[in-house]
Amino acid sequence: MTNFQNCPLALQHPNSTVAIRAVHLSDVSLFHECLWQDRTVEAITTFIRRVLKFQEQGRGMGIVVMDTTTLPDTIIAYGQVTQWVKCAEISDLLVHPAYRGQGFGTAMIQYLTHHSLAMKTNCVELGVAMSNQRALALYRRLGFKDSYTLQLDLGQGTEPVLYLAIDLTPFFDSN
């Protein structure tokens, strides 16, 4: 069995009190209400269907974090991982502003990194706009290392996006 004691924080097990589950198509209205008010229901539906297709193919997964203290339960965060040819990519991470700084982003990244490891992906990477210093600090604290930079249009003009990665091959289970 793989020993995760001396590995990057991203490979530690997520906090068990964080309610994480796979995304469902039935989550569309909750997404629209809780996280993505600026997107149409149709756009959210298309987005989740694409994620579910990758999940069915064994090439990724989308997850939600729920606030189970509210009735009804509220989606407070979303993230996904997609396996590409050389590496898996964690993307579309979003934590509702009222829940930031409480460990939900860390738990999602840990969950998605473990999923990448289970898919036997050689590495896992994520990108961050250089202007998002808070996220960049989190990713580095979790053990992601700077890999490469691209100039991307993130909707408000072109800006540098730094990709960070973790090599997963040292953590493959030898059994």
Side-chain angles (χ1 to χ4, degrees):
M1 197 151 156
T2 304
N3 180 0
F4 291 103
Q5 296 294 66
N6 297 317
C7 64
L9 185 56
L11 279 164
Q12 300 292 324
H13 291 286
N15 181 336
S16 62
T17 64
V18 176
I20 297 175
R21 67 164 173 78
V23 69
H24 304 291
L25 193 56
S26 61
D27 291 329
V28 169
S29 61
L30 272 178
F31 270 109
H32 190 257
E33 178 185 331
C34 302
L35 286 180
W36 291 332
Q37 297 91 357
D38 59 329
R39 295 185 186 186
T40 66
V41 170
E42 294 78 22
I44 296 169
T45 301
T46 300
F47 177 84
I48 292 177
R49 281 191 172 139
R50 182 174 182 258
V51 171
L52 293 173
K53 182 178 178 185
F54 282 122
Q55 193 167 305
E56 289 171 11
Q57 296 170 345
R59 291 189 46 221
M61 106 176 297
I63 60 170
V64 294
V65 177
M66 305 298 294
D67 180 348
T68 57
T69 65
T70 60
L71 289 176
D73 292 349
T74 303
I75 294 176
I76 60 171
Y78 175 78
Q80 69 185 50
V81 65
T82 307
Q83 185 175 18
W84 302 110
V85 174
K86 294 183 179 185
C87 203
E89 179 185 18
I90 294 174
S91 64
D92 296 291
L93 294 171
L94 177 63
V95 178
H96 187 282
Y99 293 88
R100 291 181 184 157
Q102 299 177 43
F104 297 112
T106 295
M108 282 195 307
I109 292 167
Q110 290 170 323
Y111 192 98
L112 294 169
T113 301
H114 274 270
H115 189 75
S116 299
L117 189 62
M119 290 188 301
K120 296 289 188 197
T121 303
N122 289 334
C123 68
V124 62
E125 69 180 9
L126 43 73
V128 60
M130 292 298 292
S131 59
N132 190 348
Q133 289 297 304
R134 186 174 179 178
L136 179 58
L138 169 65
Y139 303 154
R140 286 178 172 157
R141 182 176 61 82
L142 291 174
F144 287 84
K145 304 292 182 202
D146 296 13
S147 184
Y148 60 94
T149 304
L150 296 175
Q151 293 288 329
L152 298 175
D153 185 352
L154 301 177
Q156 297 178 350
T158 302
E159 64 179 296
V161 174
L162 175 64
Y163 280 82
L164 301 96
I166 294 178
D167 178 8
L168 297 178
T169 57
F171 305 102
F172 286 165
D173 197 347
S174 58
N175 294 332

